[in-house]
Amino acid sequence: MGAAASSPDYTADEMMSIAAARSLRDGQVCFVGIGLPSTAANLARRLHAPGLVLVYESGTLDTRPAELPLSIGDGILTDSALTVVSVPEVFNYWLQPGRIDVGFLSGAQLDRFGNINTTVIGEYTEPDVRLPGSGGAPEIAASCREVSIVMRHRLRAFVEQVDFVTSVGYGTGPLDRRMLGLRGAGPVRVITDLGVLEPDPETSELVLTALHPGIAVEQVRAETGWDLEVSPDLMVTAAPSARELETLRGMRTVGSHPDDRNPDRTTEGATE
Amino acid sequence: MGAAASSPDYTADEMMSIAAARSLRDGQVCFVGIGLPSTAANLARRLHAPGLVLVYESGTLDTRPAELPLSIGDGILTDSALTVVSVPEVFNYWLQPGRIDVGFLSGAQLDRFGNINTTVIGEYTEPDVRLPGSGGAPEIAASCREVSIVMRHRLRAFVEQVDFVTSVGYGTGPLDRRMLGLRGAGPVRVITDLGVLEPDPETSELVLTALHPGIAVEQVRAETGWDLEVSPDLMVTAAPSARELETLRGMRTVGSHPDDRNPDRTTEGATE
Amino acid sequence: MAKIVSLSEAVAELVHDGDTAALEGFTHLIPFAAGHEIIRQGRRELTLVRMTPDLIYDQLIGAGCASKLVFSWGGNPGVGSLHRLRDALGNGWPAPLEIEEHSHAGMANRYVAGASGLPFAVLRGYAGTDLPLHTPTISTVTCPFTGEELAAVAALNPDVTIVHAQRADRAGNVQLWGITGVQKEAVLAAKRSLVTVEEIVDELTPVPGAVVLPSWAVTAVAEVPGGAAPSYAHGYYDRDNAAYRAWDTISRDRQAFTGWLRELGVQR
Amino acid sequence: MAKIVSLSEAVAELVHDGDTAALEGFTHLIPFAAGHEIIRQGRRELTLVRMTPDLIYDQLIGAGCASKLVFSWGGNPGVGSLHRLRDALGNGWPAPLEIEEHSHAGMANRYVAGASGLPFAVLRGYAGTDLPLHTPTISTVTCPFTGEELAAVAALNPDVTIVHAQRADRAGNVQLWGITGVQKEAVLAAKRSLVTVEEIVDELTPVPGAVVLPSWAVTAVAEVPGGAAPSYAHGYYDRDNAAYRAWDTISRDRQAFTGWLRELGVQR
């Protein structure tokens, strides 16, 4: 399903990674989780944002890996970093005070207010599926100036309300972040393999603001567990350029292996 | 005055430094302030305690300076250190949890319960003399497993009650440290140029437990502002050995200068 | 001063049934050999503490060493799930497993508090999440100056912390570099500590970015070349990504896992 | 990204009358040249923050730049007192000076809280001392887990922090090593920051023990060779102990001090 059928030149996942990369601006400081976020951020760095600053929660600041890391703590991140700090320092001195422009997150479930679940499907004490847990995500969601969410658009994942709030988006509405003392703006966009959702400025509910080429609104609504509203200014994403596709496909994962063709197998966990 | 008259071979200050050095045991970890403490600790390291670990509040851990530093942050401390940590780290990870065996302190005033003043003589808001202030001393006094105080025995300095409690000894008596939550044992000895005072195990009041050679009890009492009790087991300190004196006199202060012959001019401040 | 001992002696002496044990290393320098030795020596009822449980805790849990896990992200990095962990949580195999779950920021600060001799740490965290509902070591404090409410987490002070480092000198001073994670804090927070090292050398030549743990802050050092494999030791060997992938297959199946245990030298 | 500018531009742009300004450096790398530029530009009513005021603050205070001092140890290290500080405190010359006094541990933790985006820090400190009676930025908090009472200190967030470092690259990334004190925390706690450096280089070769401040965490960098003298810059020049001693004589006397100011290029 998805874009692949109508766009034989690229896959829906490629469109998603490229759309995510495009959302980053040169010179921004970006807190990167492994998988799709890392792919998107490293792609942006190779395309329009050579001065993008990548911070990984392993403590590698301003790292420029020549290949994609397989995990958040790969040696390749150290070798190319401006400096490496301890894990307490990366959270306390770099993330917490709001020094990071963009945090990239993913999750197993996302709800209409942009809250993310990477903990359990079902009840916490008797879960249907036990997920990896929080990692750095709750504080990334709280403290980055803005958050971008990247995840595949599937009905089981895009739910009315998450089973467990691992990372807060807008809580139950537009006032919650301020009441909770969260200082970042929260999720400003959700980039999926079908399109882009953004929070309504009034209600903070996620609405469809862009479709990837060849995707219909009904396709997106069918994969969304709430009554998804569509922006009156609905855009269509530009198709991947040859250069974007070539660059994305040319990025190799460290110690690579046929399985590494999909560097996003861990999207169920937001970060490690 | 003091020992010099009756002991032409060495000065009272030399006796004090040597007595202080002798109080340190090999393998101990010692938090060192500048001046007399630094002299004593470095002397001990050259005599009977080659494995003495010196920690300076500038963050230099296990430093082995070939010459005496003039200040707490001299380059010579860095060059010979096992490692250098930040100032927050030296206080939070190394001093605060009680990892330091012995803290050396000095002061402008010391009272009968071992409390130290390095802040003001007189009223805080209208002081007669403004002193350097706390530096690292309050937390050294609180957290080291034990504290040694080294200071010249003078009536104006050994007072009934300090004008300002910069660093707590035993507060107002034997129960105070526990009530205040201070985890180190407090000052276990005060080494002066006349002798040694130690806290009475019952009352925590400082009593005279040793005289340096040639010093009389009355001399000490005349320089003490409270009714100094004398231990029934009063000892006499062994006179400096030739090796001790030679080693002490051979220690050169960095960038030395005629004025550096007395490396203890800053004893009014406990540490920098 | 740290004693220099063999790995088996160190584990025998420092890790006891029922202990709270932290084996740390953030992707890098994970003390696998020490974990395997704990399995071989058959420790039981451990409370295992670690930000990222990783394969090493999947193995310890599968081997029945643990009764509780304290963690913040439990996965096989870059590969998927920890199947032994899931089996213990879901099915109580081979033993029921209690969990205490935090975020990375919370866990890191719990070690910082532990290393600092404080009973708790303050952070901006957890607000609005469901974690505080299930984790009693998360609470709040109010700033005495501004009145603002912040998160508080209880200090972690493991009975024993085990980390792996590149080098130690003969006096037992330890040096590690690359991604240094929370190793310093985990060692300083612990009552006892063991550092396994790639090699023991005459002198610790300074290395940019290195963390040095003085001998007097470490209980024991054991020379265990390759002791971090299949994770990696910066400057010594790379991460064995294939082994991480292979674990997915081994760990999915109790029988395959039991075979792996047997190969480790454990009869069950 | 840090702008690379001249020292006079940087001070003109980043340091304003009435600011809270921290010039840090623990004995090592004290930003003397920047302090002198502040004197030359005639800033007034500064709240000067620094663990160890040292000569640089004696000079700023004597020059009338400050209305308040926040500190933990005010002396001429290894020499004696700061006479300009004493004269301001005791006689209000050249202007009255308010003080806010802490211990080193308290000041260091205030910077840590500031750098961490927290309103306060917790420490074991001050208990039983007379400091909390006079310093309103010292309070207490109770551990929500153990009930224990601990000291709390208010975060420090200077309007501007100035430090000196050995090197920066052309992108404005900064590298300093040797005794690194609280410089990282002081810069990260500040709203604006200036780093003066011995030299600007093409590439920051890694150095053992170095702290690196990324360009995006610094406001401005100015190349000022010798900018830490008479303190020292590890690897560049030694501490001028004679200048520290000579200051004792200069600073004892208002007239001698005024002469010193005139030599600095200040008319008064």
Side-chain angles (χ1 to χ4, degrees):
Chain A
M1 60 134 291
S6 56
S7 307
D9 290 359
Y10 57 89
T11 68
D13 276 0
E14 285 173 338
M15 180 71 253
M16 173 167 60
S17 292
I18 289 166
R22 287 176 188 162
S23 76
L24 290 164
R25 296 187 300 282
D26 198 22
Q28 284 185 317
V29 179
C30 184
F31 205 96
V32 190
I34 212 66
L36 285 172
S38 180
T39 305
N42 279 288
L43 179 59
R45 203 164 56 73
R46 283 164 173 76
L47 293 168
H48 59 284
L52 190 69
V53 176
L54 307 190
V55 174
Y56 285 79
E57 68 194 18
S58 54
T60 48
L61 300 189
D62 199 0
T63 181
R64 300 163 177 276
E67 301 181 353
L68 291 177
L70 178 65
S71 89
I72 210 94
D74 273 19
I76 196 169
L77 295 171
T78 312
D79 293 331
S80 60
L82 174 67
T83 187
V84 181
V85 301
S86 74
V87 165
E89 181 177 325
V90 80
F91 285 103
N92 290 347
Y93 285 7
W94 299 95
L95 177 63
Q96 181 168 272
R99 282 179 227 288
I100 309 288
D101 295 314
V102 188
F104 258 121
L105 292 174
S106 192
Q109 285 186 332
L110 174 79
D111 71 21
R112 69 197 301 160
F113 288 114
N115 303 300
I116 295 174
N117 173 15
T118 58
T119 304
V120 286
I121 306 294
E123 287 293 314
Y124 185 75
T125 46
E126 292 284 338
D128 299 325
V129 184
R130 173 68 226 190
L131 303 166
S134 308
E139 286 76 26
I140 293 171
S143 294
C144 290
R145 290 193 189 119
E146 58 178 56
V147 169
S148 287
I149 298 169
V150 194
M151 55 190 280
R152 293 198 191 89
H153 215 130
R154 300 293 179 274
L155 186 58
R156 64 176 167 83
F158 282 63
V159 297
E160 171 78 26
Q161 202 179 338
V162 290
D163 293 356
F164 188 101
V165 179
T166 312
S167 304
V168 179
Y170 297 100
T172 61
L175 303 176
D176 279 24
R177 287 189 72 88
R178 185 170 303 176
M179 280 172 46
L180 291 167
L182 309 181
R183 302 199 295 181
V188 297
R189 68 187 69 82
V190 179
I191 296 163
T192 81
D193 51 351
L194 302 182
V196 179
L197 314 187
E198 294 178 49
D200 178 279
E202 300 284 307
T203 65
S204 294
E205 182 177 308
L206 294 171
V207 299
L208 184 66
T209 57
L211 290 171
H212 295 328
I215 306 294
V217 167
E218 281 318 305
Q219 248 178 301
V220 184
R221 291 174 59 95
E223 295 287 0
T224 304
W226 68 89
D227 188 18
L228 180 66
E229 291 199 30
V230 179
S231 164
D233 307 316
L234 184 69
M235 313 275 284
V236 175
T237 313
S241 70
R243 180 169 170 247
E244 285 171 334
L245 278 176
E246 201 177 309
T247 308
L248 175 60
R249 290 171 184 167
M251 292 199 303
R252 194 172 155 273
T253 298
V254 165
S256 79
H257 179 277
D259 293 359
D260 294 330
R261 298 292 295 277
N262 293 320
D264 49 351
R265 268 161 303 144
T266 53
T267 49
E268 69 179 22
T271 60
E272 276 168 34
Chain B
M1 61 137 288
S6 56
S7 308
D9 291 357
Y10 57 90
T11 68
D13 277 359
E14 286 173 337
M15 180 71 253
M16 173 165 61
S17 293
I18 289 165
R22 287 176 188 162
S23 76
L24 290 164
R25 296 187 299 281
D26 199 21
Q28 284 185 317
V29 180
C30 183
F31 205 97
V32 191
I34 214 64
L36 285 172
S38 179
T39 305
N42 279 288
L43 178 58
R45 203 165 56 74
R46 284 164 173 75
L47 291 168
H48 59 283
L52 190 69
V53 175
L54 307 190
V55 175
Y56 285 79
E57 69 193 18
S58 54
T60 48
L61 301 190
D62 198 1
T63 183
R64 300 162 177 279
E67 301 182 354
L68 291 177
L70 178 64
S71 89
I72 210 97
D74 273 18
I76 196 170
L77 295 171
T78 311
D79 293 331
S80 60
L82 174 67
T83 187
V84 181
V85 300
S86 73
V87 165
E89 181 177 324
V90 80
F91 284 103
N92 290 346
Y93 286 6
W94 298 95
L95 177 62
Q96 181 167 271
R99 282 180 227 289
I100 309 288
D101 295 313
V102 188
F104 257 120
L105 293 174
S106 190
Q109 285 186 333
L110 174 79
D111 71 19
R112 69 196 300 160
F113 287 114
N115 303 300
I116 295 174
N117 174 13
T118 58
T119 305
V120 286
I121 305 294
E123 287 293 314
Y124 185 74
T125 47
E126 293 284 338
D128 300 325
V129 184
R130 173 67 225 190
L131 303 166
S134 307
E139 286 76 25
I140 295 171
S143 294
C144 290
R145 289 193 190 121
E146 58 178 56
V147 169
S148 286
I149 298 169
V150 193
M151 56 190 279
R152 293 197 191 90
H153 216 131
R154 300 292 178 275
L155 186 58
R156 64 177 168 85
F158 282 64
V159 296
E160 171 78 25
Q161 201 179 339
V162 290
D163 293 357
F164 189 101
V165 179
T166 311
S167 305
V168 180
Y170 297 101
T172 60
L175 302 177
D176 279 26
R177 288 189 71 88
R178 185 170 302 177
M179 281 174 46
L180 292 167
L182 309 181
R183 302 200 294 182
V188 297
R189 67 187 71 81
V190 179
I191 296 162
T192 82
D193 51 349
L194 302 183
V196 178
L197 314 188
E198 293 179 48
D200 180 280
E202 300 283 309
T203 65
S204 295
E205 183 178 309
L206 293 171
V207 300
L208 184 66
T209 56
L211 290 170
H212 295 329
I215 307 293
V217 167
E218 280 319 305
Q219 251 177 298
V220 184
R221 291 175 60 96
E223 295 287 359
T224 304
W226 68 88
D227 187 17
L228 180 67
E229 292 200 29
V230 179
S231 165
D233 307 314
L234 185 68
M235 313 274 285
V236 174
T237 313
S241 71
R243 179 165 171 248
E244 286 171 333
L245 277 175
E246 200 177 308
T247 308
L248 175 61
R249 290 169 184 168
M251 292 198 302
R252 195 171 155 274
T253 298
V254 166
S256 78
H257 179 276
D259 292 1
D260 294 330
R261 298 293 294 277
N262 293 322
D264 50 350
R265 267 162 303 143
T266 54
T267 47
E268 68 179 22
T271 59
E272 276 169 32
Chain C
M1 304 296 283
K3 285 189 300 185
I4 296 183
V5 294
S6 72
L7 177 57
S8 63
E9 282 176 90
V11 168
E13 197 170 315
L14 301 181
V15 186
H16 314 130
D17 285 356
D19 271 359
T20 295
L23 279 68
E24 276 295 351
F26 203 85
T27 312
H28 179 216
L29 292 175
I30 300 177
F32 270 94
H36 294 167
E37 184 61 26
I38 291 171
I39 294 174
R40 269 190 224 99
Q41 295 195 14
R43 287 296 170 283
R44 288 294 176 268
E45 303 284 328
L46 298 176
T47 291
L48 291 176
V49 182
R50 189 173 151 75
M51 292 180 65
T52 55
D54 202 270
L55 272 54
I56 184 64
Y57 275 21
D58 212 34
Q59 294 166 354
L60 281 154
I61 289 164
C65 301
S67 59
K68 184 174 176 184
L69 175 67
V70 181
F71 76 111
S72 42
W73 192 86
N76 180 340
V79 178
S81 298
L82 294 176
H83 303 293
R84 294 297 93 229
L85 168 57
R86 280 189 173 185
D87 201 11
L89 287 178
N91 311 306
W93 193 93
L97 187 71
E98 195 187 336
I99 57 172
E100 179 179 323
E101 189 165 3
H102 278 266
S103 69
H104 276 356
M107 283 291 282
N109 278 293
R110 298 184 71 192
Y111 280 123
V112 169
S116 302
L118 294 174
F120 74 109
V122 180
L123 72 155
R124 295 187 179 281
Y126 301 109
T129 77
D130 287 340
L131 283 162
L133 305 175
H134 301 282
T135 304
T137 45
I138 303 171
S139 184
T140 58
V141 285
T142 301
C143 173
F145 306 103
T146 65
E148 192 180 356
E149 190 176 88
L150 295 137
V153 286
L156 268 172
N157 289 104
D159 294 310
V160 59
T161 286
I162 305 179
V163 300
H164 187 75
Q166 280 98 337
R167 306 196 295 206
D169 65 18
R170 296 188 198 288
N173 298 298
V174 169
Q175 190 189 39
L176 60 149
W177 64 91
I179 289 168
T180 53
V182 289
Q183 279 98 311
K184 180 185 270 190
E185 289 77 13
V187 166
L188 295 183
K191 297 182 186 73
R192 304 182 293 278
S193 57
L194 164 63
V195 184
T196 58
V197 295
E198 287 298 320
E199 54 175 341
I200 292 176
V201 296
D202 289 331
E203 205 183 339
L204 299 176
T205 324
V207 173
V211 162
V212 174
L213 294 167
S215 175
W216 47 277
V218 171
T219 314
V221 169
E223 190 175 36
V224 187
S231 81
Y232 71 108
H234 205 93
Y236 287 76
Y237 46 87
D238 289 337
R239 192 166 186 267
D240 184 353
N241 288 330
Y244 272 81
R245 282 190 204 94
W247 184 252
D248 194 64
T249 312
I250 297 166
S251 62
R252 269 178 198 279
D253 179 72
R254 289 183 189 170
Q255 213 171 339
F257 172 73
T258 308
W260 177 87
L261 267 185
R262 212 174 300 119
E263 274 177 49
L264 195 70
V266 178
Q267 300 302 325
R268 203 170 59 184
Chain D
M1 305 296 284
K3 286 190 300 185
I4 297 184
V5 294
S6 73
L7 177 58
S8 63
E9 281 176 89
V11 167
E13 199 172 313
L14 299 181
V15 187
H16 315 130
D17 285 356
D19 271 358
T20 295
L23 280 68
E24 276 295 351
F26 203 87
T27 313
H28 179 214
L29 292 174
I30 301 176
F32 270 94
H36 294 167
E37 184 61 26
I38 292 171
I39 294 174
R40 270 191 222 99
Q41 295 196 15
R43 288 294 170 284
R44 288 294 178 270
E45 303 283 331
L46 298 176
T47 291
L48 291 176
V49 182
R50 191 174 150 74
M51 291 180 65
T52 55
D54 201 270
L55 273 54
I56 183 63
Y57 275 22
D58 212 34
Q59 294 167 352
L60 281 154
I61 290 163
C65 301
S67 60
K68 184 173 176 184
L69 174 68
V70 181
F71 76 111
S72 41
W73 191 86
N76 180 341
V79 178
S81 298
L82 293 176
H83 303 292
R84 294 296 93 228
L85 168 57
R86 281 191 172 183
D87 202 10
L89 287 178
N91 311 307
W93 194 93
L97 187 71
E98 196 187 332
I99 57 171
E100 179 179 324
E101 189 165 3
H102 278 267
S103 69
H104 277 355
M107 282 292 281
N109 277 293
R110 298 185 71 192
Y111 281 123
V112 169
S116 303
L118 294 174
F120 73 107
V122 181
L123 71 155
R124 294 188 180 280
Y126 300 109
T129 77
D130 287 340
L131 282 162
L133 305 175
H134 302 281
T135 305
T137 45
I138 303 170
S139 184
T140 58
V141 285
T142 302
C143 173
F145 305 104
T146 64
E148 192 181 356
E149 189 176 89
L150 295 137
V153 286
L156 268 172
N157 290 105
D159 294 310
V160 59
T161 286
I162 305 178
V163 300
H164 188 75
Q166 279 98 339
R167 305 197 296 205
D169 65 19
R170 296 187 198 286
N173 298 298
V174 168
Q175 190 188 39
L176 59 149
W177 64 91
I179 289 169
T180 54
V182 289
Q183 279 100 311
K184 178 185 271 190
E185 289 76 14
V187 166
L188 295 183
K191 298 182 185 72
R192 304 181 294 276
S193 57
L194 164 63
V195 184
T196 58
V197 295
E198 287 299 320
E199 54 175 340
I200 292 177
V201 297
D202 289 331
E203 205 182 339
L204 298 176
T205 323
V207 173
V211 163
V212 174
L213 294 167
S215 174
W216 46 278
V218 171
T219 313
V221 169
E223 190 175 38
V224 187
S231 81
Y232 71 107
H234 205 93
Y236 287 76
Y237 45 88
D238 289 337
R239 191 167 188 266
D240 183 353
N241 287 330
Y244 272 80
R245 282 190 203 93
W247 184 252
D248 194 64
T249 311
I250 297 166
S251 62
R252 270 180 197 277
D253 178 73
R254 290 182 189 171
Q255 212 170 339
F257 172 74
T258 309
W260 177 88
L261 267 185
R262 213 175 299 119
E263 273 176 51
L264 195 69
V266 178
Q267 301 301 326
R268 203 169 62 183

